[in-house]
Amino acid sequence: MPAKQAFEALALSLVGQPISYIWRGYGSAIFIEIGELTPRLNRDGSVGHPEGEVSLGVEWSWRIENTHAIVCGSWSDDDLWEPALSCLRDARVERCEALGYLPEVVLTTVEGFRFLTFSTTDGQPQWHIVDRRDGDARWFSVRDGQLHLGDGTEPAF
């Protein structure tokens, strides 16, 4: 199945799913876990962040908005991050889209918030979505300006 068609099917399957967990990586990296969570261990055996059935990872350049304003973004003061991320926790997905010439992800919640990726550096957009349902994981990203569907063996960004 072509990557664009596979992404559209994934997007439709996310409607109504809960945003179950959100965690920060290094710097402004954000990871959004959707659906049922699975516990994870780090390489050293310590407890890691759980994985959702579907994960959205963004290395940098993102924002959260409501219908009136940008609530927070990757360049906002750290003090704003947690309250903004809490608007997404336990929210339900209303829509997931890949928009633009160089596809960026827009995740809209039933509660009226939107999470958007938007790379502001040269190269490719810096996001990936992993769908762990139904067998082997499928990794969506952008390669050469197009949606790309892989198996996770390529670098995520």
Side-chain angles (χ1 to χ4, degrees):
M1 175 182 303
K4 185 175 179 181
Q5 189 177 7
F7 186 91
E8 290 169 357
L10 166 76
L12 281 174
S13 74
L14 293 180
V15 173
Q17 293 296 308
I19 296 175
S20 306
Y21 189 77
I22 301 174
W23 57 283
R24 288 181 60 177
Y26 181 75
S28 62
I30 293 289
F31 297 88
I32 297 175
E33 308 295 340
I34 300 170
E36 191 173 324
L37 297 174
T38 300
R40 236 183 83 231
L41 294 178
N42 293 321
R43 290 182 181 145
D44 66 1
S46 63
V47 175
H49 295 283
E51 286 181 333
E53 294 173 287
V54 175
S55 298
L56 166 60
V58 185
E59 189 168 351
W60 59 65
S61 296
W62 53 266
R63 76 181 192 205
I64 299 168
E65 62 186 30
N66 61 25
T67 58
H68 305 294
I70 297 169
V71 176
C72 179
S74 52
W75 284 91
S76 297
D77 290 334
D78 276 7
D79 295 348
L80 298 176
W81 285 36
E82 189 52 41
L85 293 172
S86 70
C87 295
L88 298 176
R89 283 191 185 92
D90 300 319
R92 296 225 169 243
V93 175
E94 179 177 69
R95 183 171 48 224
C96 178
E97 303 169 272
L99 300 176
Y101 287 123
L102 300 174
E104 296 284 3
V105 174
V106 180
L107 191 65
T108 305
T109 69
V110 172
E111 292 77 7
F113 291 93
R114 289 178 11 140
F115 180 89
L116 300 88
T117 70
F118 60 99
S119 190
T120 57
T121 186
D122 57 302
Q124 302 297 305
Q126 301 294 304
W127 62 265
H128 67 272
I129 294 179
V130 183
D131 184 357
R132 298 179 183 85
R133 303 170 294 177
D134 302 324
D136 294 333
R138 298 180 312 152
W139 289 68
F140 294 89
S141 61
V142 179
R143 297 278 188 264
D144 298 321
Q146 302 293 314
L147 276 172
H148 175 77
L149 178 56
D151 61 6
T153 58
E154 303 126 329
F157 299 111

